[in-house]
Amino acid sequence: MLTPSANPSQALAGRLMLIALAALLVLTGIFPAGAQAQDAQHEQVQQYIERNLELLESALEIVDETEAMPPRRILRNARDLHLQAVRLLEEGRPGLALQTARRCRDGIRQAVLLARESFGQEERLRQRLDRFHEQHANLLDLARDAQDQRALELLARGRQMSDRARDQYRQGESRLALQLLDQAEELMTRAARMLVGQKGNRLERALELAQVAVQQAQEALQGSDDPAARDLLTESEKALERALDFRDQGRPGRALRMAGLSRRLARRAMGLQGETLAPQGVDRQIERWDERAANLGETLAGADDASRNLFQRARDHRRRAAEQLAAGRTELALRQIRAAHDLLGQLEDRVR
Amino acid sequence: MNLCRAFLALLLVLSTPAAAQEGTGETAPDPLDDFQDWLAPRSETRWTPTVSAGFDALLHTYPLATTDTTETISESFAAVGLEGRSGRSGSRRWRLLGEFSVGSELFRESLEAQWRYLDRRRIARWRLDADFEGRQYREGTGYSLSSDHLEGDLTARAVPWVTGDHLLEMRLDAGFMDYSAPSALEVSHREGGAGLQYGSRLLAEIPWRVGYRYTGRAYPDSARIDRRTHSMEGDLEWRGLDGQVLRLYHSSRRRLIRDEEVKPSAWMHWSDLSAQVPAGTGDVYLDLQSEIWDYDEDSTVYLDSWRLDGVLGFRWGDLMRAGWRLGLAAEHLAAGDSPETYTQLGMRGGVESYGASLNGSIQVEYGRRHYHQGGGVDGQGGYGGDAGFEDLDLTYSDFHYFEIWLMGGWNISETLRLDVMASYEPESHTEQDDDVSLGYASLRLVWRPSSRP
């Protein structure tokens, strides 16, 4: 049986009331749930950001230990991102704050990785720069002695590269510095190879020159019965043979010195052949020495002790030459006056 | 802008005499032509001026919080230099080289001086070397650290004892580095040391030497990092009859730090081995380098490590025309549990030529580096040894790499020369964020008139 309240319109209104009530209940129920979720998110982001701050502090300790700039730049950038994330969270934008905080953490990771990598690089760089400097100086001496322009150019460019590497090292750019130093070392290695090759060439050329000198002396002394010149030629030939032996035995240093000796002896033999070895010839050489010494007179007045000692030694040889000549030992006199002329030549080079 | 104009003007001025000389058909002198000159030493003092202008550029691309950052420094400069040296016949010889350069970023000066006293056997019984170097940065320079500085080194050597082919050398060293505005990364220091060396003369059949050296370095503004270093080193070179070459070098250093809490003391052992064996029309070559760091207290920062790298290859051809090389390059870093332990393998090839007027080389290497990510990596991907970083993935990512290196020189005339150097090293990582590129380019025009007595 229907009551008056069972009127359909009333029932509909009642249903509507119920729905509105239910909606109100639902709405009032949901609102506190959403607020709680937002609070939780805010808290999570805040924890993430606070952890970032701890990581930043730990990373700073490691980065401070290095001398490298890239990790410093990255960490500085990470710190800026951290501050930005804090601000975004304060402004009630937790989503954006989290995104920024994640970028900050990536930056911290990169900074720590780069910092740790740079420790080894810095230590290695210091050692390698020192070693480069030492090796470069040694090779430079060698290249200058050998007058090898190509090696000198390579060494000069290697030096430029190492200077740039040193600049970059001082800028805290150890990775870039290592790259530049690698190339400087490569240039130095090439120069070293060239100089090793040059050492071989130098020996062959020295042997060639000695052989030419010996042949010339042999031709010049054909038919000559000058015993002193013949002795010198024999000595020269022996020295050349020994130079060739040393080369074959793989002893380039001795071979080079012996080839030089052979060439000098051959030249001296030819020099003797061209002279009469008569006492008058030696006498002329003594006179010539006196003229040269007289020309040096004024210069010698202001010369240093070493130069004066050199002159003294030359004068002793000149005196002995005169004594030997007076005793009739022309050959010995000639050797003495030659030594006196040599020393005078050295002296002229010094004081000129 | 003014500097650019000055540079262009200099190019114009320098190229005029060069163009005039090009028609003469003259080429750069063959170094072997100097051989006679070497046999008959000159006695004159010689002075050689140098004028150069150029441009340097450096590039470093690396990730900056997931964004690639490209750092570039480019610099144009003009430089003058003067080299003087004594004749090569006297017993007292000297050499002086001064250089001054004006650049868009900084001013550079350097002075190198050397004096030697040679005995009758041409052995340098006394030798003094002095090097000074200065840098002054311009305002607004792109360089991060811009404190002006002056650095100097002085070394005195004496050979008190010579016997046969061997000699004993003693040395004293002193040095300094002064920054005008010191900072944590720009620390002034003073250095002093002494050493002893015994070995063969330069042209001995088997050149060798052994030596000991002590160096002390003091940092007036940061005495805690003062250090002392004892080092022993030796090297040897052997050349076989058939072109075999073997070179060995070893150095062991003990570095002592005043405050071990700041930095632990350490041993460092460095060895080089270089060998060459003729094979067919060329040579098989091997270059090996070993570097061991052994810290008194191993830590996550200062790691005990052993790095071994080398290249085994074949080279052929004529260096004066075209010399080729191809080889296998390998590198291994063993650093215990650290994620830095890696193995790298690559192929290296190149061509080089050192002709009279043109010379240059191109070298390319391609390879891959693999990080072992050893037992120290914890479950979260972090390195267990890194306290405080548990939630960070501190592992390195594998990468493929290229190394391209170009060097060229052109003797435009006897007095004018153009030098080019460039390199580029990009790394492509499995983690794209870790990609790194390094680059360098340099262009230099050098005018070097004939030396004058």
Side-chain angles (χ1 to χ4, degrees):
Chain A
M1 182 175 170
L2 290 173
T3 61
S5 60
N7 183 297
S9 60
Q10 281 182 337
L12 181 65
R15 276 191 203 109
L16 282 172
M17 283 289 282
L18 281 172
I19 289 167
L21 187 63
L24 189 65
L25 285 171
V26 166
L27 281 171
T28 51
I30 282 174
F31 183 71
Q36 280 169 11
Q38 274 194 355
D39 281 348
Q41 189 191 14
H42 188 276
E43 198 174 324
Q44 277 177 357
V45 174
Q46 193 164 7
Q47 279 175 4
Y48 192 90
I49 288 173
E50 280 169 5
R51 176 65 184 144
N52 271 1
L53 184 62
E54 288 170 13
L55 289 171
L56 269 171
E57 283 166 359
S58 302
L60 190 63
E61 280 179 25
I62 289 193
V63 169
D64 259 355
E65 292 266 336
T66 75
E67 295 167 15
M69 284 310 290
R72 278 181 162 75
R73 277 190 213 110
I74 293 174
L75 202 63
R76 201 175 300 140
N77 184 268
R79 184 204 57 195
D80 292 346
L81 287 169
H82 170 74
L83 294 174
Q84 198 181 331
V86 170
R87 200 170 52 247
L88 285 166
L89 191 67
E90 282 171 357
E91 288 168 2
R93 301 158 76 186
L96 269 177
L98 183 63
Q99 205 178 332
T100 309
R102 282 192 177 133
R103 283 171 58 206
C104 164
R105 194 166 288 192
D106 283 339
I108 298 170
R109 172 185 169 268
Q110 288 290 348
V112 173
L113 285 177
L114 273 181
R116 286 184 19 182
E117 199 177 43
S118 66
F119 282 118
Q121 286 168 356
E122 285 161 14
E123 297 273 24
R124 200 182 314 150
L125 250 172
R126 273 193 284 270
Q127 301 296 333
R128 280 176 60 181
L129 280 167
D130 283 353
R131 180 150 153 67
F132 179 90
H133 193 68
E134 286 282 319
Q135 278 189 319
H136 187 270
N138 290 338
L139 282 171
L140 206 57
D141 283 346
L142 209 61
R144 283 198 196 109
D145 283 348
Q147 295 271 296
D148 189 325
Q149 283 306 318
R150 285 190 185 92
L152 283 168
E153 269 166 23
L154 283 174
L155 287 170
R157 296 175 82 172
R159 177 62 189 258
Q160 280 166 12
M161 291 295 271
S162 82
D163 282 349
R164 291 292 185 262
R166 201 178 282 270
D167 284 347
Q168 288 306 309
Y169 164 62
R170 290 199 189 113
Q171 286 299 322
E173 301 284 350
S174 51
R175 208 161 170 183
L176 208 47
L178 267 176
Q179 184 206 24
L180 296 173
L181 190 61
D182 274 347
Q183 288 157 25
E185 285 175 345
E186 181 75 31
L187 287 164
M188 192 171 69
T189 307
R190 284 171 195 206
R193 269 176 56 207
M194 218 167 252
L195 287 168
V196 167
Q198 174 82 347
K199 205 166 151 186
N201 286 334
R202 213 170 103 179
L203 174 58
E204 290 307 319
R205 192 70 186 265
L207 286 167
E208 197 181 305
L209 286 172
Q211 277 164 340
V212 169
V214 168
Q215 277 171 10
Q216 284 175 348
Q218 284 166 342
E219 285 165 17
L221 291 178
Q222 264 181 357
S224 164
D225 53 359
D226 178 350
R230 285 242 157 249
D231 282 353
L232 284 170
L233 177 59
T234 309
E235 289 301 319
S236 168
E237 288 165 345
K238 279 182 188 168
L240 180 59
E241 277 172 27
R242 282 160 70 192
L244 291 167
D245 285 346
F246 281 134
R247 182 198 59 182
D248 295 342
Q249 290 163 19
R251 302 164 81 180
R254 290 201 174 177
L256 198 61
R257 288 202 290 277
M258 209 46 77
L261 177 66
S262 167
R263 192 176 55 86
R264 286 195 299 276
L265 288 169
R267 280 186 177 178
R268 201 172 292 171
M270 282 188 282
L272 280 182
Q273 170 60 17
E275 291 169 9
T276 57
L277 257 193
Q280 292 85 348
V282 179
D283 203 35
R284 272 201 302 277
Q285 293 225 23
I286 292 174
E287 279 174 19
R288 211 175 111 231
W289 188 94
D290 291 341
E291 284 166 16
R292 286 175 74 189
N295 289 337
L296 275 171
E298 283 180 19
T299 322
L300 269 178
D304 56 11
D305 288 347
S307 298
R308 279 200 286 272
N309 285 340
L310 205 59
F311 181 71
Q312 188 61 45
R313 283 169 54 204
R315 200 166 57 183
D316 286 347
H317 281 288
R318 183 247 178 256
R319 179 178 49 76
R320 281 188 218 119
E323 285 168 4
Q324 299 289 359
L325 191 65
R329 292 190 284 269
T330 314
E331 193 181 325
L332 289 175
L334 183 66
R335 285 183 191 173
Q336 291 293 340
I337 196 62
R338 277 188 166 276
H341 273 289
D342 283 348
L343 288 170
L344 209 58
Q346 285 181 37
L347 183 60
E348 283 168 348
D349 285 338
R350 282 174 59 85
V351 298
R352 193 174 286 161
Chain B
M1 204 55 195
N2 286 338
L3 203 67
C4 284
R5 279 189 200 135
F7 175 61
L8 288 172
L10 191 63
L11 280 180
L12 190 69
V13 169
L14 294 182
S15 60
T16 309
Q21 286 171 22
E22 274 173 356
T24 63
E26 289 175 355
T27 55
D30 185 331
L32 289 179
D33 288 344
D34 294 329
F35 191 77
Q36 195 59 45
D37 183 56
W38 177 79
L39 288 172
R42 287 192 301 261
S43 57
E44 303 91 354
T45 295
R46 297 202 162 236
W47 291 95
T48 310
T50 308
V51 179
S52 60
F55 181 78
D56 280 0
L58 292 151
L59 172 143
H60 190 180
T61 300
Y62 55 89
L64 188 60
T66 70
T67 310
D68 275 359
T69 303
T70 301
E71 297 273 335
T72 50
I73 293 269
S74 52
E75 184 188 350
S76 47
F77 62 88
V80 288
L82 184 65
E83 181 175 10
R85 62 173 174 79
S86 61
R88 285 181 287 117
S89 58
S91 59
R92 285 175 176 79
R93 300 183 193 180
W94 56 268
R95 182 181 160 266
L96 196 66
L97 173 64
E99 281 177 341
F100 176 70
S101 107
V102 183
S104 52
E105 295 288 327
L106 72 159
F107 298 88
R108 294 182 171 90
E109 315 77 43
S110 72
L111 182 70
E112 288 176 36
Q114 185 187 80
W115 177 87
R116 290 188 291 168
Y117 172 76
L118 276 68
D119 67 9
R120 280 183 299 173
R121 297 172 62 190
R122 291 162 64 98
I123 294 170
R125 288 302 191 111
W126 293 95
R127 179 172 161 175
L128 280 174
D129 289 276
D131 289 349
F132 296 96
E133 193 180 281
R135 300 277 188 273
Q136 294 85 38
Y137 293 87
R138 284 178 181 272
E139 261 183 54
T141 175
Y143 284 109
S144 308
L145 302 172
S146 52
S147 173
D148 299 346
H149 60 261
L150 181 67
E151 185 179 15
D153 290 298
L154 182 68
T155 304
R157 292 180 176 90
V159 176
W161 193 48
V162 182
T163 167
D165 280 341
H166 301 102
L167 51 86
L168 177 76
E169 183 185 272
M170 298 193 305
R171 63 183 281 170
L172 287 173
D173 302 279
F176 71 91
M177 162 70 102
D178 269 333
Y179 284 97
S180 62
S183 68
L185 296 182
E186 293 156 309
V187 192
S188 303
H189 69 247
R190 305 279 176 270
E191 197 170 89
L196 204 62
Q197 181 178 295
Y198 182 71
S200 63
R201 290 181 61 192
L202 204 61
L203 285 173
E205 283 71 43
I206 302 178
W208 64 273
R209 68 184 177 101
V210 287
Y212 163 79
R213 209 168 143 192
Y214 168 81
T215 311
R217 179 180 281 191
Y219 295 85
D221 300 325
S222 182
R224 293 175 75 197
I225 55 170
D226 285 359
R227 64 189 64 186
R228 290 171 291 135
T229 310
H230 298 271
S231 59
M232 289 285 297
E233 62 178 30
D235 58 31
L236 177 143
E237 182 183 315
W238 173 82
R239 296 171 62 77
L241 292 177
D242 302 318
Q244 305 98 322
V245 179
L246 175 69
R247 275 187 223 105
L248 295 171
Y249 168 83
H250 178 79
S251 166
S252 285
R253 294 183 186 196
R254 174 68 177 153
R255 192 191 61 194
L256 300 159
I257 304 288
R258 173 178 278 193
D259 187 345
E260 299 262 351
E261 283 181 10
V262 180
K263 200 175 204 178
S265 296
W267 277 97
M268 198 280 283
H269 307 281
W270 181 304
S271 309
D272 281 346
L273 180 150
S274 173
Q276 175 185 310
V277 180
T281 54
D283 298 310
V284 173
Y285 67 96
L286 172 71
D287 291 319
L288 270 180
Q289 194 175 75
S290 160
E291 183 189 335
I292 296 170
W293 282 93
D294 182 9
Y295 291 94
D296 286 8
E297 278 190 41
D298 189 17
S299 68
T300 54
V301 175
Y302 297 104
L303 296 164
D304 287 351
S305 65
W306 180 28
R307 194 177 62 85
L308 187 67
D309 79 282
V311 58
L312 174 68
F314 184 66
R315 57 181 167 228
W316 69 98
D318 179 4
L319 266 186
M320 298 303 149
R321 293 185 179 85
W324 299 83
R325 60 164 77 186
L326 187 64
L328 192 66
E331 187 174 326
H332 178 71
L333 179 80
D337 284 344
S338 160
E340 284 169 54
T341 298
Y342 66 77
T343 303
Q344 181 176 301
L345 204 60
M347 284 294 290
R348 187 184 296 176
V351 58
E352 57 193 321
S353 172
Y354 297 95
S357 57
L358 263 177
N359 64 59
S361 70
I362 300 172
Q363 186 170 291
V364 179
E365 183 176 326
Y366 177 72
R368 181 178 172 82
R369 179 181 290 188
H370 168 65
Y371 285 95
H372 293 222
Q373 321 291 12
V377 179
D378 60 31
Q380 292 168 300
Y383 172 46
D386 276 312
F389 291 112
E390 292 79 7
D391 40 3
L392 275 192
D393 176 17
L394 290 182
T395 55
Y396 293 87
S397 55
D398 294 356
F399 61 85
H400 286 276
Y401 68 92
F402 254 116
E403 283 182 16
I404 304 158
W405 183 42
L406 168 76
M407 184 201 78
W410 177 29
N411 289 317
I412 301 166
S413 73
E414 277 189 14
T415 56
L416 194 66
R417 180 182 169 83
L418 185 69
D419 287 340
V420 182
M421 279 197 272
S423 69
Y424 185 52
E425 294 185 14
E427 292 174 5
S428 175
H429 287 249
T430 49
E431 291 289 328
Q432 205 178 341
D433 289 349
D434 295 344
D435 286 358
V436 173
S437 300
L438 295 165
Y440 173 72
S442 167
L443 183 72
R444 246 163 245 247
L445 187 67
V446 183
W447 180 60
R448 194 183 166 94
S450 305
S451 57
R452 305 198 185 287

